[in-house]
PDB file of all heavy atoms in Angstrom:
ATOM      1  N   PRO A  84     -47.061 -16.170 -85.961  1.00  0.00           N
ATOM      2  CA  PRO A  84     -46.495 -16.386 -84.604  1.00  0.00           C
ATOM      3  C   PRO A  84     -45.674 -17.673 -84.540  1.00  0.00           C
ATOM      4  O   PRO A  84     -45.930 -18.625 -85.278  1.00  0.00           O
ATOM      5  CB  PRO A  84     -47.734 -16.476 -83.715  1.00  0.00           C
ATOM      6  CG  PRO A  84     -48.858 -15.882 -84.500  1.00  0.00           C
ATOM      7  CD  PRO A  84     -48.550 -16.152 -85.943  1.00  0.00           C
ATOM      8  N   ASN A  85     -44.706 -17.635 -83.687  1.00  0.00           N
ATOM      9  CA  ASN A  85     -43.904 -18.813 -83.345  1.00  0.00           C
ATOM     10  C   ASN A  85     -43.332 -19.471 -84.599  1.00  0.00           C
ATOM     11  O   ASN A  85     -43.399 -20.687 -84.777  1.00  0.00           O
ATOM     12  CB  ASN A  85     -44.762 -19.823 -82.551  1.00  0.00           C
ATOM     13  CG  ASN A  85     -43.916 -20.872 -81.837  1.00  0.00           C
ATOM     14  OD1 ASN A  85     -42.815 -20.588 -81.373  1.00  0.00           O
ATOM     15  ND2 ASN A  85     -44.417 -22.096 -81.769  1.00  0.00           N
ATOM     16  N   THR A 111     -40.400 -15.626 -84.299  1.00  0.00           N
ATOM     17  CA  THR A 111     -41.402 -14.692 -83.785  1.00  0.00           C
ATOM     18  C   THR A 111     -41.966 -15.245 -82.486  1.00  0.00           C
ATOM     19  O   THR A 111     -41.869 -16.435 -82.164  1.00  0.00           O
ATOM     20  CB  THR A 111     -42.540 -14.510 -84.786  1.00  0.00           C
ATOM     21  OG1 THR A 111     -43.071 -15.791 -85.106  1.00  0.00           O
ATOM     22  CG2 THR A 111     -42.032 -13.813 -86.051  1.00  0.00           C
ATOM     23  N   ALA A 112     -42.501 -14.351 -81.640  1.00  0.00           N
ATOM     24  CA  ALA A 112     -43.077 -14.743 -80.367  1.00  0.00           C
ATOM     25  C   ALA A 112     -44.344 -15.565 -80.586  1.00  0.00           C
ATOM     26  O   ALA A 112     -44.969 -15.496 -81.657  1.00  0.00           O
ATOM     27  CB  ALA A 112     -43.402 -13.503 -79.538  1.00  0.00           C
ATOM     28  N   PRO A 113     -44.768 -16.339 -79.525  1.00  0.00           N
ATOM     29  CA  PRO A 113     -45.989 -17.129 -79.670  1.00  0.00           C
ATOM     30  C   PRO A 113     -47.207 -16.203 -79.759  1.00  0.00           C
ATOM     31  O   PRO A 113     -47.111 -14.988 -79.562  1.00  0.00           O
ATOM     32  CB  PRO A 113     -46.009 -17.967 -78.396  1.00  0.00           C
ATOM     33  CG  PRO A 113     -44.630 -17.940 -77.843  1.00  0.00           C
ATOM     34  CD  PRO A 113     -44.063 -16.632 -78.263  1.00  0.00           C
ATOM     35  N   GLU A 114     -48.369 -16.840 -79.868  1.00  0.00           N
ATOM     36  CA  GLU A 114     -49.600 -16.059 -79.938  1.00  0.00           C
ATOM     37  C   GLU A 114     -49.908 -15.426 -78.596  1.00  0.00           C
ATOM     38  O   GLU A 114     -49.429 -15.880 -77.546  1.00  0.00           O
ATOM     39  CB  GLU A 114     -50.765 -16.973 -80.360  1.00  0.00           C
ATOM     40  CG  GLU A 114     -50.684 -17.457 -81.785  1.00  0.00           C
ATOM     41  CD  GLU A 114     -51.910 -18.267 -82.161  1.00  0.00           C
ATOM     42  OE1 GLU A 114     -52.777 -18.453 -81.271  1.00  0.00           O
ATOM     43  OE2 GLU A 114     -51.991 -18.685 -83.298  1.00  0.00           O
ATOM     44  N   VAL A 115     -50.744 -14.372 -78.571  1.00  0.00           N
ATOM     45  CA  VAL A 115     -51.124 -13.684 -77.345  1.00  0.00           C
ATOM     46  C   VAL A 115     -52.151 -14.528 -76.603  1.00  0.00           C
ATOM     47  O   VAL A 115     -53.206 -14.854 -77.157  1.00  0.00           O
ATOM     48  CB  VAL A 115     -51.693 -12.292 -77.654  1.00  0.00           C
ATOM     49  CG1 VAL A 115     -52.130 -11.611 -76.369  1.00  0.00           C
ATOM     50  CG2 VAL A 115     -50.658 -11.458 -78.398  1.00  0.00           C
ATOM     51  N   PRO A 116     -51.848 -14.934 -75.335  1.00  0.00           N
ATOM     52  CA  PRO A 116     -52.838 -15.705 -74.581  1.00  0.00           C
ATOM     53  C   PRO A 116     -53.960 -14.798 -74.087  1.00  0.00           C
ATOM     54  O   PRO A 116     -53.815 -13.572 -74.064  1.00  0.00           O
ATOM     55  CB  PRO A 116     -52.022 -16.272 -73.411  1.00  0.00           C
ATOM     56  CG  PRO A 116     -50.911 -15.317 -73.216  1.00  0.00           C
ATOM     57  CD  PRO A 116     -50.596 -14.747 -74.571  1.00  0.00           C
ATOM     58  N   PHE A 133     -55.381 -18.467 -67.388  1.00  0.00           N
ATOM     59  CA  PHE A 133     -55.339 -17.987 -68.776  1.00  0.00           C
ATOM     60  C   PHE A 133     -55.207 -19.199 -69.691  1.00  0.00           C
ATOM     61  O   PHE A 133     -54.897 -20.326 -69.253  1.00  0.00           O
ATOM     62  CB  PHE A 133     -54.182 -17.021 -68.975  1.00  0.00           C
ATOM     63  CG  PHE A 133     -52.849 -17.575 -68.534  1.00  0.00           C
ATOM     64  CD1 PHE A 133     -52.038 -18.284 -69.430  1.00  0.00           C
ATOM     65  CD2 PHE A 133     -52.405 -17.399 -67.216  1.00  0.00           C
ATOM     66  CE1 PHE A 133     -50.827 -18.791 -69.005  1.00  0.00           C
ATOM     67  CE2 PHE A 133     -51.202 -17.904 -66.814  1.00  0.00           C
ATOM     68  CZ  PHE A 133     -50.392 -18.618 -67.690  1.00  0.00           C
ATOM     69  N   THR A 134     -55.423 -18.920 -71.012  1.00  0.00           N
ATOM     70  CA  THR A 134     -55.282 -19.984 -72.010  1.00  0.00           C
ATOM     71  C   THR A 134     -53.813 -20.090 -72.397  1.00  0.00           C
ATOM     72  O   THR A 134     -53.146 -19.081 -72.637  1.00  0.00           O
ATOM     73  CB  THR A 134     -56.110 -19.663 -73.253  1.00  0.00           C
ATOM     74  OG1 THR A 134     -55.677 -18.411 -73.801  1.00  0.00           O
ATOM     75  CG2 THR A 134     -57.589 -19.594 -72.924  1.00  0.00           C
ATOM     76  N   GLU A 135     -53.320 -21.304 -72.441  1.00  0.00           N
ATOM     77  CA  GLU A 135     -51.937 -21.507 -72.848  1.00  0.00           C
ATOM     78  C   GLU A 135     -51.871 -21.584 -74.363  1.00  0.00           C
ATOM     79  O   GLU A 135     -52.796 -22.088 -75.027  1.00  0.00           O
ATOM     80  CB  GLU A 135     -51.386 -22.778 -72.201  1.00  0.00           C
ATOM     81  CG  GLU A 135     -51.305 -22.702 -70.684  1.00  0.00           C
ATOM     82  CD  GLU A 135     -50.703 -23.956 -70.059  1.00  0.00           C
ATOM     83  OE1 GLU A 135     -50.398 -24.900 -70.830  1.00  0.00           O
ATOM     84  OE2 GLU A 135     -50.524 -23.969 -68.817  1.00  0.00           O
ATOM     85  N   VAL A 136     -50.775 -21.107 -74.992  1.00  0.00           N
ATOM     86  CA  VAL A 136     -50.613 -21.048 -76.436  1.00  0.00           C
ATOM     87  C   VAL A 136     -49.471 -21.950 -76.847  1.00  0.00           C
ATOM     88  O   VAL A 136     -48.574 -22.263 -76.039  1.00  0.00           O
ATOM     89  CB  VAL A 136     -50.371 -19.604 -76.911  1.00  0.00           C
ATOM     90  CG1 VAL A 136     -51.591 -18.749 -76.620  1.00  0.00           C
ATOM     91  CG2 VAL A 136     -49.115 -19.032 -76.263  1.00  0.00           C
ATOM     92  N   SER A 137     -49.493 -22.351 -78.128  1.00  0.00           N
ATOM     93  CA  SER A 137     -48.484 -23.250 -78.657  1.00  0.00           C
ATOM     94  C   SER A 137     -47.152 -22.517 -78.809  1.00  0.00           C
ATOM     95  O   SER A 137     -47.126 -21.348 -79.219  1.00  0.00           O
ATOM     96  CB  SER A 137     -48.946 -23.804 -80.014  1.00  0.00           C
ATOM     97  OG  SER A 137     -47.936 -24.612 -80.587  1.00  0.00           O
ATOM     98  N   GLY A 138     -46.100 -23.256 -78.516  1.00  0.00           N
ATOM     99  CA  GLY A 138     -44.751 -22.703 -78.688  1.00  0.00           C
ATOM    100  C   GLY A 138     -44.259 -21.880 -77.522  1.00  0.00           C
ATOM    101  O   GLY A 138     -43.107 -21.453 -77.506  1.00  0.00           O
ATOM    102  N   ALA A 139     -45.088 -21.595 -76.564  1.00  0.00           N
ATOM    103  CA  ALA A 139     -44.656 -20.764 -75.416  1.00  0.00           C
ATOM    104  C   ALA A 139     -43.879 -21.623 -74.423  1.00  0.00           C
ATOM    105  O   ALA A 139     -44.314 -22.720 -74.059  1.00  0.00           O
ATOM    106  CB  ALA A 139     -45.863 -20.143 -74.743  1.00  0.00           C
ATOM    107  N   THR A 140     -42.732 -21.152 -74.086  1.00  0.00           N
ATOM    108  CA  THR A 140     -41.930 -21.841 -73.049  1.00  0.00           C
ATOM    109  C   THR A 140     -42.245 -21.322 -71.658  1.00  0.00           C
ATOM    110  O   THR A 140     -41.993 -21.994 -70.655  1.00  0.00           O
ATOM    111  CB  THR A 140     -40.438 -21.666 -73.337  1.00  0.00           C
ATOM    112  OG1 THR A 140     -40.132 -20.270 -73.366  1.00  0.00           O
ATOM    113  CG2 THR A 140     -40.062 -22.305 -74.680  1.00  0.00           C
ATOM    114  N   SER A 141     -42.760 -20.125 -71.519  1.00  0.00           N
ATOM    115  CA  SER A 141     -43.160 -19.553 -70.229  1.00  0.00           C
ATOM    116  C   SER A 141     -44.092 -18.394 -70.506  1.00  0.00           C
ATOM    117  O   SER A 141     -44.321 -18.021 -71.660  1.00  0.00           O
ATOM    118  CB  SER A 141     -41.939 -19.081 -69.424  1.00  0.00           C
ATOM    119  OG  SER A 141     -41.248 -18.052 -70.120  1.00  0.00           O
ATOM    120  N   TYR A 142     -44.595 -17.833 -69.382  1.00  0.00           N
ATOM    121  CA  TYR A 142     -45.542 -16.726 -69.500  1.00  0.00           C
ATOM    122  C   TYR A 142     -45.141 -15.647 -68.505  1.00  0.00           C
ATOM    123  O   TYR A 142     -44.525 -15.914 -67.447  1.00  0.00           O
ATOM    124  CB  TYR A 142     -46.975 -17.202 -69.245  1.00  0.00           C
ATOM    125  CG  TYR A 142     -47.425 -18.270 -70.206  1.00  0.00           C
ATOM    126  CD1 TYR A 142     -47.202 -19.614 -69.920  1.00  0.00           C
ATOM    127  CD2 TYR A 142     -48.086 -17.937 -71.393  1.00  0.00           C
ATOM    128  CE1 TYR A 142     -47.604 -20.595 -70.798  1.00  0.00           C
ATOM    129  CE2 TYR A 142     -48.499 -18.926 -72.275  1.00  0.00           C
ATOM    130  CZ  TYR A 142     -48.246 -20.241 -71.967  1.00  0.00           C
ATOM    131  OH  TYR A 142     -48.632 -21.226 -72.834  1.00  0.00           O
ATOM    132  N   ILE A 143     -45.497 -14.445 -68.835  1.00  0.00           N
ATOM    133  CA  ILE A 143     -45.231 -13.299 -67.957  1.00  0.00           C
ATOM    134  C   ILE A 143     -46.556 -12.699 -67.559  1.00  0.00           C
ATOM    135  O   ILE A 143     -47.355 -12.319 -68.417  1.00  0.00           O
ATOM    136  CB  ILE A 143     -44.347 -12.253 -68.646  1.00  0.00           C
ATOM    137  CG1 ILE A 143     -42.961 -12.840 -68.969  1.00  0.00           C
ATOM    138  CG2 ILE A 143     -44.201 -11.022 -67.763  1.00  0.00           C
ATOM    139  CD1 ILE A 143     -42.061 -11.898 -69.741  1.00  0.00           C
ATOM    140  N   VAL A 159     -44.130 -17.201 -65.009  1.00  0.00           N
ATOM    141  CA  VAL A 159     -44.730 -18.455 -64.582  1.00  0.00           C
ATOM    142  C   VAL A 159     -44.596 -19.467 -65.708  1.00  0.00           C
ATOM    143  O   VAL A 159     -44.417 -19.109 -66.886  1.00  0.00           O
ATOM    144  CB  VAL A 159     -46.210 -18.265 -64.183  1.00  0.00           C
ATOM    145  CG1 VAL A 159     -46.339 -17.305 -63.008  1.00  0.00           C
ATOM    146  CG2 VAL A 159     -47.028 -17.755 -65.368  1.00  0.00           C
ATOM    147  N   SER A 160     -44.698 -20.728 -65.368  1.00  0.00           N
ATOM    148  CA  SER A 160     -44.525 -21.782 -66.386  1.00  0.00           C
ATOM    149  C   SER A 160     -45.817 -22.071 -67.143  1.00  0.00           C
ATOM    150  O   SER A 160     -45.788 -22.580 -68.259  1.00  0.00           O
ATOM    151  CB  SER A 160     -44.019 -23.060 -65.726  1.00  0.00           C
ATOM    152  OG  SER A 160     -44.944 -23.504 -64.750  1.00  0.00           O
ATOM    153  N   GLY A 161     -46.958 -21.805 -66.499  1.00  0.00           N
ATOM    154  CA  GLY A 161     -48.220 -22.071 -67.169  1.00  0.00           C
ATOM    155  C   GLY A 161     -49.364 -21.551 -66.340  1.00  0.00           C
ATOM    156  O   GLY A 161     -49.194 -20.787 -65.385  1.00  0.00           O
ATOM    157  N   VAL A 179     -51.334 -10.912 -69.458  1.00  0.00           N
ATOM    158  CA  VAL A 179     -50.413 -12.028 -69.565  1.00  0.00           C
ATOM    159  C   VAL A 179     -49.752 -11.979 -70.932  1.00  0.00           C
ATOM    160  O   VAL A 179     -50.360 -11.568 -71.923  1.00  0.00           O
ATOM    161  CB  VAL A 179     -51.142 -13.365 -69.333  1.00  0.00           C
ATOM    162  CG1 VAL A 179     -52.226 -13.602 -70.368  1.00  0.00           C
ATOM    163  CG2 VAL A 179     -50.159 -14.520 -69.317  1.00  0.00           C
ATOM    164  N   MET A 180     -48.470 -12.405 -71.034  1.00  0.00           N
ATOM    165  CA  MET A 180     -47.715 -12.467 -72.287  1.00  0.00           C
ATOM    166  C   MET A 180     -47.073 -13.839 -72.360  1.00  0.00           C
ATOM    167  O   MET A 180     -46.613 -14.373 -71.340  1.00  0.00           O
ATOM    168  CB  MET A 180     -46.634 -11.390 -72.315  1.00  0.00           C
ATOM    169  CG  MET A 180     -47.196  -9.962 -72.351  1.00  0.00           C
ATOM    170  SD  MET A 180     -45.880  -8.735 -72.174  1.00  0.00           S
ATOM    171  CE  MET A 180     -45.532  -8.887 -70.435  1.00  0.00           C
ATOM    172  N   SER A 181     -47.056 -14.394 -73.631  1.00  0.00           N
ATOM    173  CA  SER A 181     -46.382 -15.662 -73.840  1.00  0.00           C
ATOM    174  C   SER A 181     -44.933 -15.393 -74.235  1.00  0.00           C
ATOM    175  O   SER A 181     -44.625 -14.373 -74.856  1.00  0.00           O
ATOM    176  CB  SER A 181     -47.096 -16.476 -74.919  1.00  0.00           C
ATOM    177  OG  SER A 181     -47.116 -15.766 -76.139  1.00  0.00           O
ATOM    178  N   VAL A 182     -44.024 -16.353 -73.953  1.00  0.00           N
ATOM    179  CA  VAL A 182     -42.593 -16.155 -74.169  1.00  0.00           C
ATOM    180  C   VAL A 182     -42.037 -17.407 -74.804  1.00  0.00           C
ATOM    181  O   VAL A 182     -42.407 -18.539 -74.442  1.00  0.00           O
ATOM    182  CB  VAL A 182     -41.866 -15.861 -72.837  1.00  0.00           C
ATOM    183  CG1 VAL A 182     -40.389 -15.660 -73.072  1.00  0.00           C
ATOM    184  CG2 VAL A 182     -42.477 -14.649 -72.145  1.00  0.00           C
ATOM    185  N   ASN A 183     -41.163 -17.209 -75.862  1.00  0.00           N
ATOM    186  CA  ASN A 183     -40.342 -18.299 -76.382  1.00  0.00           C
ATOM    187  C   ASN A 183     -38.933 -17.780 -76.563  1.00  0.00           C
ATOM    188  O   ASN A 183     -38.608 -16.689 -76.094  1.00  0.00           O
ATOM    189  CB  ASN A 183     -40.939 -18.868 -77.664  1.00  0.00           C
ATOM    190  CG  ASN A 183     -40.950 -17.838 -78.791  1.00  0.00           C
ATOM    191  OD1 ASN A 183     -40.404 -16.752 -78.641  1.00  0.00           O
ATOM    192  ND2 ASN A 183     -41.559 -18.176 -79.907  1.00  0.00           N
ATOM    193  N   SER A 184     -38.100 -18.544 -77.387  1.00  0.00           N
ATOM    194  CA  SER A 184     -36.700 -18.145 -77.537  1.00  0.00           C
ATOM    195  C   SER A 184     -36.552 -16.851 -78.312  1.00  0.00           C
ATOM    196  O   SER A 184     -35.552 -16.149 -78.190  1.00  0.00           O
ATOM    197  CB  SER A 184     -35.911 -19.262 -78.221  1.00  0.00           C
ATOM    198  OG  SER A 184     -36.444 -19.513 -79.524  1.00  0.00           O
ATOM    199  N   GLY A 186     -38.718 -14.166 -78.136  1.00  0.00           N
ATOM    200  CA  GLY A 186     -39.105 -13.018 -77.327  1.00  0.00           C
ATOM    201  C   GLY A 186     -40.469 -13.227 -76.732  1.00  0.00           C
ATOM    202  O   GLY A 186     -40.946 -14.356 -76.581  1.00  0.00           O
ATOM    203  N   ARG A 187     -41.124 -12.133 -76.402  1.00  0.00           N
ATOM    204  CA  ARG A 187     -42.427 -12.175 -75.778  1.00  0.00           C
ATOM    205  C   ARG A 187     -43.487 -11.616 -76.728  1.00  0.00           C
ATOM    206  O   ARG A 187     -43.189 -10.756 -77.566  1.00  0.00           O
ATOM    207  CB  ARG A 187     -42.432 -11.397 -74.476  1.00  0.00           C
ATOM    208  CG  ARG A 187     -42.123  -9.930 -74.667  1.00  0.00           C
ATOM    209  CD  ARG A 187     -42.315  -9.137 -73.370  1.00  0.00           C
ATOM    210  NE  ARG A 187     -41.329  -9.507 -72.355  1.00  0.00           N
ATOM    211  CZ  ARG A 187     -41.270  -8.932 -71.168  1.00  0.00           C
ATOM    212  NH1 ARG A 187     -42.149  -7.968 -70.863  1.00  0.00           N
ATOM    213  NH2 ARG A 187     -40.359  -9.283 -70.294  1.00  0.00           N
ATOM    214  N   SER A 188     -44.716 -12.116 -76.497  1.00  0.00           N
ATOM    215  CA  SER A 188     -45.828 -11.615 -77.324  1.00  0.00           C
ATOM    216  C   SER A 188     -46.319 -10.298 -76.768  1.00  0.00           C
ATOM    217  O   SER A 188     -45.868  -9.826 -75.725  1.00  0.00           O
ATOM    218  CB  SER A 188     -46.965 -12.649 -77.334  1.00  0.00           C
ATOM    219  OG  SER A 188     -47.573 -12.716 -76.047  1.00  0.00           O
TER     220      SER A 188
END
Side-chain angles (χ1 to χ4, degrees):
N85 196 35
T111 55
E114 291 184 358
V115 178
F133 53 90
T134 59
E135 295 182 357
V136 296
S137 176
T140 59
S141 62
Y142 300 89
I143 297 176
V159 298
S160 60
V179 61
M180 294 173 285
S181 60
V182 180
N183 64 7
S184 61
R187 62 173 67 178
S188 69

